[in-house]
């Protein structure tokens, strides 16, 4: 059965616990990393449920990322049908999977602040269902719907924060997406068993900024599904338990892509002028995050059985 | 003719799930040793204890029926219902405000969903617990009736020790929002009203709700609810083997200095022979035997409420039994609920106070 795990700080101690949406039941696990926790397995975690200890109220803890920073953060780009259409691509061509990574230094907790670096003007949000990997690989592997549960231990909410004015003009995905606090994960790491893998196709994502819904979609609309993605990714990456794969974001980001004809015309301009125009036109869009904005994300299964909790952050300017 | 004039209590035609049994109660107490002393004297047996929590059980196969967690202030948190299947848990987990399905961090394990009823009590639905091994208990005493005397050349000497509690039987709550709370239990756990006692205006003062187990007889009440001015734990009741166990319980608890609340007597609704005792925090605990059991067939009875209708014989119900402690917090709660609960009026409070105060 699904285990809704959280990592939290309570009375100066960092602990793991089971979260039921209201309370946290501590787990007596000495693990300091997500990979060690995953390797305990379902039975191991359950046997360490601390029944003699009081459940802890959500209000008295600081929720931490359930993914520790020894993890690799693997990412997929343009993986929702509507987002691809918005970006001028045909999702039915499905010709290639777009992979990139974020630095693990960008991992941050599920609540608190997102820091907008001083030189960044185009700070964007991207809610993503994030797979938490459960198996070590050192060679290409064939992942199918039948063995998916061996490779995927669970899921959590991820936000792939992006500095568009670094990512696009400098053509640097890694840098533009890896500033500190740019990768909030959690609060819930939902560990799934084999019979629950179908939920990967029926998770409902929703991101709001200051209460306005900006992104809303179902993982049913993922273009490259988890099994085929992991198969392809394994050709270029080793996986380890506790690594994460962010599976792409639905449409609704602040980034506005110009029409293809305009792109062709602009392409004739000198490079510096072109990006100056890009930043200028993007700055007219009101959706980019500014200091004081509150970003909230939720992911739940359609039937409500899985609930990955709520991420809530306030954007702050770098001091 | 006594008539009910409100929508609740009433059966729900298609409840979310049907509760299978009352599984356990959840308390917080500042002193676990003291709590354990009372409960052991009362007849519950400790199944596990740590500096933080205490689990107690009856002789039945239920792994525990009573949890006491250490906390600064004494508090009743809520209780657990056993449900029949994991599908029931899934259905309940989809109710607004419900938790996800979680492993139960209790003796016996299993999985549970945590809910909050409209009065703020925690209600856990649990399923898949591993039963414990049943413990031995003495048999019911054979009675020499005038016409039939099974006991020849033999005496009647029940053991002088705390009576063995067989199981947790029922729980009684007081609620301000009576209609909403009663409706929630009938709708989501399929409880069916056995009997309701109404005030002169036809609104319910007390309802006795039983489990819907179809043709299998169920206790006359597993959860009872009284109209009060704020949500409170009234009492919980534990079945013992016979009337001598109830009587021996009275002797032992008296000898050991615990505070008596009411009894021995025989109730009218539910019929059980009862005796009520207070734990160190004045929470009432009832020994009982010989209660009624009904199948789902029997329709609801409607009766006028009165002090006299509480017992067939035995000691009169003392005023202290139902009189609320009027602490500042209680008065504040009463003032708030008078304004906000659709089921309360000053007139009703006065009627209730006259009846039970």
């Amino acid at each position: 059965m699904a285990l809704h795990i959280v990592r939290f700080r309570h009375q100066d101690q960092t602990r793991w616990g089971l979260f039921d949406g209201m309370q946290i039941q501590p787990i007596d696990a000495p693990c300091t990393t997500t990979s060690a926790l995953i390797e305990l397995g379902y039975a191991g975690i359950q046997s360490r449920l601390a029944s003699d200890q009081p459940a802890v109220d959500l209000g008295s803890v600081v929720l931490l990322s359930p993914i520790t920073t020894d993890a690799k953060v693997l990412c997929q780009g343009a993986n929702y049908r509507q987002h691809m259409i918005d970006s001028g691509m045909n999702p039915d061509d499905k010709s290639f999977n777009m992979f990139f990574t974020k630095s693990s230094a960008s991992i941050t907790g599920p609540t608190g602040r997102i820091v907008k670096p001083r030189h960044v003007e185009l700070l964007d949000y991207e809610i993503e269902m994030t797979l938490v990997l459960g198996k070590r690989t050192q060679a290409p592997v064939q992942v199918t719907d039948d063995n998916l549960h061996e490779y995927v231990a669970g899921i959590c909410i991820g936000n792939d924060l992006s500095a568009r004015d670094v990512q696009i003009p400098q053509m640097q995905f890694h840098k533009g997406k890896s500033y500190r606090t740019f990768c909030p994960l959690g609060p819930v790491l939902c560990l799934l068993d084999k019979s629950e893998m179908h939920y990967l196709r029926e998770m409902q994502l929703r991101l709001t900024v200051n209460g306005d819904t900006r992104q809303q979609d179902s993982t049913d609309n993922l273009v490259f599904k988890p099994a085929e993605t992991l198969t392809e990714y394994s050709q270029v990456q080793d996986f380890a338990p506790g690594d994460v794969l962010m599976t792409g974001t639905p449409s609704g980001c602040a980034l506005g892509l110009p029409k293809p004809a305009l792109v062709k015309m602009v392409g004739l301009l000198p490079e510096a002028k072109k990006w100056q125009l890009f930043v200028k036109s993007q700055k007219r869009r009101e959706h980019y995050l500014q200091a004081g904005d509150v970003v909230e994300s939720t992911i739940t299964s359609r039937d409500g059985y899985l609930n990955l909790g709520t991420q809530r952050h306030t954007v702050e300017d770098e001091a | 003719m006594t008539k009910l004039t409100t929508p609740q209590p009433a059966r729900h035609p298609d409840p979310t799930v049907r509760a299978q049994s009352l599984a356990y109660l959840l308390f917080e107490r500042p002193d676990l040793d003291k709590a354990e002393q009372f409960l052991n004297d009362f007849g519950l047996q400790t199944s596990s204890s740590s500096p933080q929590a205490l689990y107690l059980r009856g002789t039945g196969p239920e792994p525990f029926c009573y949890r006491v967690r250490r906390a600064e202030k004494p508090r009743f948190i809520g209780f657990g219902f056993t449900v029949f299947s994991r599908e029931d848990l899934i259905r309940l987990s989809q109710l607004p405000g419900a938790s996800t399905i979680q492993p139960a961090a209790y003796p016996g394990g299993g999985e549970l969903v945590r809910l909050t009823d409209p009065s703020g009590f925690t209600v856990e639905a649990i399923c898949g617990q591993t039963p414990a091994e049943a413990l031995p208990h003495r048999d019911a005493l054979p009675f020499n009736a005038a016409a039939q005397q099974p006991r020849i050349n033999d005496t009647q000497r029940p053991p002088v020790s705390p009576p063995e509690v067989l199981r947790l039987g029922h729980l009684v709550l007081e609620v301000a929002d009576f209609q909403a709370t009663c409706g929630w239990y009938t709708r989501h756990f399929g409880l069916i009203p056995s009997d309701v006692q109404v005030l002169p205006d036809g609104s319910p003062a007390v309802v006795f709700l039983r489990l819907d187990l179809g043709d299998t007889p169920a206790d006359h009440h597993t959860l009872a609810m009284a109209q009060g001015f704020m949500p409170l734990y009234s009492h919980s009741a534990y079945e013992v083997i016979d009337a001598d166990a109830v009587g021996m319980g009275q002797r032992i608890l008296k000898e050991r200095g615990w505070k008596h609340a009411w009894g021995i007597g025989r109730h009218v609704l539910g019929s059980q022979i009862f005796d009520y005792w207070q734990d160190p925090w004045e929470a009432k605990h009832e020994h009982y035997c010989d209660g009624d059991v009904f199948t789902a067939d029997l329709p609801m009875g409607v009766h006028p409420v009165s002090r006299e209708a509480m017992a067939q014989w035995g000691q009169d119900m003392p005023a202290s039994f139902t009189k609320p402690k009027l602490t500042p917090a209680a008065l504040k709660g009463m003032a708030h609920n008078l304004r906000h609960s659709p089921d309360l009026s000053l007139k009703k409070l006065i009627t209730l106070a006259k009846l039970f105060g």
Side-chain angles (χ1 to χ4, degrees), chain B residues 332-342 344:
Chain B
K332 201 175 152 211
M334 175 164 21
H336 177 268
N337 288 325
L338 261 179
R339 260 177 288 142
H340 293 98
S341 166
L344 268 186

Side-chain angles (χ1 to χ4, degrees), chain A residues 1 19-20 51-52 303 305, chain B residues 52 86 94 99 105 111 114:
Chain A
M1 67 167 287
F19 181 53
D20 75 3
S51 63
D52 59 342
D303 65 8
Y305 173 55
Chain B
Q52 297 307 325
R86 186 152 208 277
Q94 285 152 30
S99 78
E111 297 174 350
R114 188 170 293 122

Side-chain angles (χ1 to χ4, degrees), chain A residues 29-83:
Chain A
C31 320
T32 55
T33 62
T34 308
S35 65
L37 184 87
I38 288 172
E39 281 168 4
L40 285 179
Y42 171 80
I45 291 173
Q46 204 179 9
S47 70
R48 287 172 171 81
L49 266 183
S51 63
D52 59 342
Q53 291 176 25
V56 184
D57 277 334
L58 191 55
S60 64
V61 307
V62 178
L63 290 168
L64 306 173
S65 165
I67 308 302
T68 50
T69 49
D70 55 328
K72 291 192 287 291
V73 183
L74 313 175
C75 305
Q76 274 177 285
N79 198 27
Y80 278 83
R81 297 184 63 82
Q82 190 56 44
H83 193 216

Side-chain angles (χ1 to χ4, degrees), chain A residues 154-303:
Chain A
I155 48 179
C156 68
I157 305 177
N159 191 345
D160 177 16
L161 273 295
S162 306
R164 300 295 189 202
D165 40 2
V166 174
Q167 178 200 343
I168 295 171
Q170 297 184 14
M171 287 183 284
Q172 300 224 42
F173 269 66
H174 186 78
K175 182 175 160 194
K177 288 169 170 277
S178 289
Y179 291 96
R180 291 180 198 272
T181 74
F182 270 30
C183 186
L185 295 172
V188 172
L189 160 56
C190 187
L191 296 178
L192 300 169
D193 69 23
K194 184 177 184 183
S195 69
E196 292 164 331
M197 283 294 142
H198 64 92
Y199 278 113
L200 298 187
R201 293 190 301 271
E202 43 196 294
M203 300 304 289
Q204 310 292 308
L205 285 62
R206 187 169 123 100
L207 178 140
T208 66
V209 178
N210 302 328
D212 294 336
T213 300
R214 298 281 180 83
Q215 294 183 284
Q216 193 162 20
D217 208 333
S218 161
T219 53
D220 194 28
N221 293 320
L222 281 173
V223 178
F224 295 91
K225 307 293 189 203
E228 58 181 317
T229 302
L230 288 169
T231 304
E232 188 181 344
Y233 224 143
S234 74
Q235 297 174 338
V236 296
Q237 264 295 350
D238 290 340
F239 304 146
D243 287 349
V244 295
L245 171 64
M246 304 182 80
T247 56
T249 200
S251 69
C253 292
L255 179 65
L257 286 162
K259 300 220 162 21
L262 187 62
V263 173
K264 279 204 185 110
M265 281 166 58
V266 170
L268 303 173
L269 292 171
E271 197 74 356
K273 184 74 186 164
K274 185 168 80 181
W275 296 119
Q276 207 181 349
L277 273 177
F278 168 79
V279 172
K280 196 175 161 198
S281 73
Q282 290 297 317
K283 275 174 73 178
R284 279 198 295 269
R285 294 179 59 84
E286 290 164 0
H287 282 5
Y288 283 104
L289 297 172
Q290 302 298 335
D293 284 347
V294 175
V295 187
E296 288 186 290
S297 310
T298 57
I299 300 182
T300 57
S301 61
R302 203 189 306 276
D303 65 8

Side-chain angles (χ1 to χ4, degrees), chain B residues 269-285:
Chain B
L269 300 175
S271 304
Q272 73 273 32
I273 290 177
F274 63 83
D275 191 31
Y276 292 88
W277 287 83
Q278 292 188 357
D279 78 0
W281 299 275
E282 303 197 345
K284 295 189 288 285
H285 292 67

